[in-house]
Amino acid sequence: MPDSYGIIGHPLGHSLSPVLHNWGFRENGLDAVYEAWPVRPFELAGFMDRVRRTPILGLSVTIPHKRAVMALLDGLGPRAEAVGAVNTIFWRRDELLGENTDVLGIAGPLRGLGLKVGTALVLGAGGAARAAVAGLRELGAKRILVANRTRSRAEALARDLGAEAVDWEHRAGLGAGLIINATPLGLAGDMENLSPWPDDAPLAGAVVFDLVYNPLRTRLLARAEAQGCMTVSGLEMFVHQGLAQFEIWTGRRLDPDAAKALLLRALGG
Ligand code: NAP
C-alpha cells in the first residue's frame, strides 16, 4: 500500500495540490499518493479519527477547517500558533501536529525578491490576511497596515498579530510600498472583473502581490503592471506553501521553478 496523503476542505473545487504533491512523490521515487477529500464541517471529527487509525501521513487543510481542526490535534507549530490557523497536518513520532505554511507562502516570494519591506498594506482580514501579516512580521516589515471591508475584523487581526487597522475607504492614500491583496476580489467567476484597488487610485512605485492565482493575471496585477509596478502572483504563494508542506512530510526539497512550470501547465498558462 502506498503512503497516504491528501487535502481536506469543502467545497474543494479544482485543487492544484494533488498535481503538485503527486509530482513531488514521483520526482523523489516515493511510493505515496495524495488525494482530494471533500469533508464537510460535521464530518471533520470523524475524518480526523480516520487520519489517526489509517494512518494518513500528511494533510493539507483548507476552508472551512483551518481553525476548527486545531482542537483535534496534539500540538501546534509556532506559525500555526501565531496565525491561529492550520494548513498542514503531520506526524512527529506518535503525535499529530499542525503547522501553517501559508506564512512561508508570503515570506518566501518576497524574500526571493530581496525586498526590504517598509510600510506594507494588507487588504482583507481573513485567513490569508492573517498569514500575510505573520509573513511580513517574519520579514521584519517596519509598519503593517490592514484594511478590511468589515473594520472590526481588521482591528481583531491587528490586535492579535501586531499590525495597525486602517479604514477600507482610505486604503489608497497610505503610501504603502508593498500592497498585498488577501481578498477574493479578482478571483475567476463573479469576482473576476473586480479589484480591491480603486480604479482611479495610482499604484506606481508599489510592489503588488495578489494572493489570487486564478486567473494568474488578475485585474489588480494587470493595472499594476501597466503602471510599471513589480508584481507577484498568487501562484508564488501557492508554490512556496506547498513546497514547505512537502518538506515537512518527506524531508525532501522540490525545485520551485520546476513546480511553477508544472502548475502553469496545469492551469493551462
Ligand atoms: P476569507 O477568510 O474568507 O477572507 C476573505 C476576506 O476578503 C475578508 O476579509 C472579506 O472581508 C474580504 N472580502 C470578501 N469579499 C469582499 C468584497 N466583495 N469586497 C471587499 N472585501 C471582501 O478568505 P481567505 O482564506 O483569507 O482567502 C482570501 C483569498 O486569498 C482567496 O480568495 C484566495 O484567492 C486567496 N488565497 C490564495 C492562496 C494561495 O496559495 N495563493 C492561499 C489562500 C488564499 P469581510 O471581513 O468584510 O467579509
Side-chain angles (χ1 to χ4, degrees):
M1 279 277 281
D3 290 342
S4 178
Y5 296 83
I7 180 167
I8 57 168
H10 200 273
L12 262 187
H14 183 68
S15 170
L16 283 177
S17 294
V19 176
L20 178 67
H21 294 297
N22 284 320
W23 166 77
F25 294 142
R26 282 195 305 278
E27 285 289 294
N28 283 279
L30 299 172
D31 186 19
V33 63
Y34 183 104
E35 295 172 75
W37 291 301
V39 172
R40 287 169 289 182
F42 71 89
E43 298 169 315
L44 181 63
F47 189 89
M48 294 309 291
D49 279 344
R50 179 178 150 198
V51 171
R52 289 176 186 276
R53 276 185 283 107
T54 312
I56 289 169
L57 299 192
L59 273 183
S60 309
V61 182
T62 188
I63 286 175
H65 304 312
K66 286 185 175 185
R67 285 176 86 84
V69 82
M70 292 165 72
L72 303 169
L73 300 172
D74 301 323
L76 298 176
R79 293 189 173 103
E81 195 90 64
V83 174
V86 158
N87 82 327
T88 308
I89 293 176
F90 61 102
W91 290 94
R92 281 296 174 272
R93 291 174 292 279
D94 55 355
E95 286 195 321
L96 193 57
L97 305 178
E99 186 49 294
N100 192 311
T101 67
D102 284 338
V103 178
L104 297 169
I106 301 289
L110 294 174
R111 198 173 274 128
L113 290 175
L115 281 185
K116 269 197 121 31
V117 185
T119 300
L121 170 64
V122 176
L123 302 170
R130 295 181 77 88
V133 172
L136 289 167
R137 285 188 65 89
E138 285 196 15
L139 288 173
K142 282 216 173 77
R143 193 169 174 221
I144 306 170
L145 309 174
V146 180
N148 190 50
R149 179 177 63 176
T150 309
R151 184 171 166 118
S152 57
R153 290 187 79 195
E155 283 169 359
L157 192 172
R159 209 172 33 244
D160 290 353
L161 289 166
E164 289 171 52
V166 292
D167 281 345
W168 177 252
E169 289 71 26
H170 296 154
R171 65 196 180 284
L174 301 163
L178 170 65
I179 297 164
I180 300 183
N181 175 36
T183 76
L185 295 169
L187 187 65
D190 293 349
M191 304 230 178
E192 187 157 351
N193 285 322
L194 302 178
S195 166
W197 202 251
D199 273 346
D200 54 358
L203 285 157
V207 175
V208 181
F209 189 173
D210 198 336
L211 305 192
V212 171
Y213 63 80
N214 182 17
L216 278 173
R217 198 161 175 270
T218 57
R219 187 181 163 103
L220 171 66
L221 290 190
R223 283 202 57 233
E225 277 170 23
Q227 293 182 44
C229 299
M230 186 185 285
T231 61
V232 187
S233 112
L235 191 65
E236 297 286 343
M237 175 181 181
F238 184 82
V239 167
H240 279 80
Q241 63 77 31
L243 265 48
Q245 292 188 320
F246 194 84
E247 192 173 344
I248 287 175
W249 294 329
T250 66
R252 315 278 180 106
R253 287 201 177 159
L254 295 169
D255 173 7
D257 291 332
K260 214 180 315 167
L262 171 92
L263 295 172
L264 281 172
R265 281 198 301 280
L267 284 167

